Amino acid sequence: MKKTTPGRALENLFYLQYDLPPEASFHATTEETKRPDELYLRKLLPELTRLKLQPCHVVANDEAYYAAMKGISLFTPEAEKLMHRADYYSARRQIRLCAPDLKRRNEAKRPPKPALKFY
């Protein structure tokens, strides 16, 4: 969600979750982690294919934003229940058209910091 520009159309990205067995071993350099799409395609996908693993959860970008707006973590039982909310489909459609500013939304929810008192 870091690449998304608030107010613009949302990119068609997906978040994947895998249950990895102990024999799965992935190593990435710091430079590689800066390009997660390329890292997935060049390093992770061949290893996942070799182990015959498929994602246990796939979440669309707009679904991830909707969950974040509701304060719910991805890949949890609460996230799976989101699709039963009345505004689920209309909110996701709106999110796809115009990405919300989650940073500003999260700052607004934080309680104010106590004022410092000097004696």
Side-chain angles (χ1 to χ4, degrees):
M1 289 190 249
K2 292 179 183 178
K3 292 182 180 180
T4 304
T5 304
R8 290 204 170 157
L10 203 59
E11 293 183 59
N12 194 20
L13 303 173
F14 294 89
Y15 300 88
L16 309 173
Q17 181 186 35
Y18 290 89
D19 286 332
L20 299 176
E23 65 268 16
S25 177
F26 302 107
H27 302 285
T29 65
T30 305
E31 194 60 34
E32 288 174 323
T33 60
K34 293 179 182 176
R35 300 180 315 274
D37 299 341
E38 188 176 319
L39 173 66
Y40 178 77
L41 289 173
R42 287 196 315 137
K43 274 198 164 178
L44 299 180
L45 193 55
E47 182 68 9
L48 294 167
T49 303
R50 184 185 70 76
L51 294 169
K52 296 182 175 139
L53 294 175
Q54 294 183 358
C56 54
H57 291 99
V58 178
V59 177
N61 206 12
D62 58 314
E63 263 184 295
Y65 264 82
Y66 181 77
M69 289 172 59
K70 300 295 181 183
I72 296 174
S73 297
L74 293 180
F75 312 124
T76 62
E78 293 81 19
E80 291 180 14
K81 295 176 188 173
L82 285 175
M83 67 186 323
H84 300 294
R85 293 190 178 198
D87 71 334
Y88 179 73
Y89 293 102
S90 61
R92 284 185 58 201
R93 185 173 33 256
Q94 182 60 35
I95 290 167
R96 280 192 301 274
L97 296 173
C98 181
D101 187 349
L102 294 179
K103 186 175 181 182
R104 184 174 298 167
R105 179 181 292 267
N106 290 336
E107 287 172 358
K109 288 183 180 179
R110 289 187 191 137
K113 294 181 181 178
L116 294 175
K117 294 182 181 181
F118 296 99
Y119 295 98

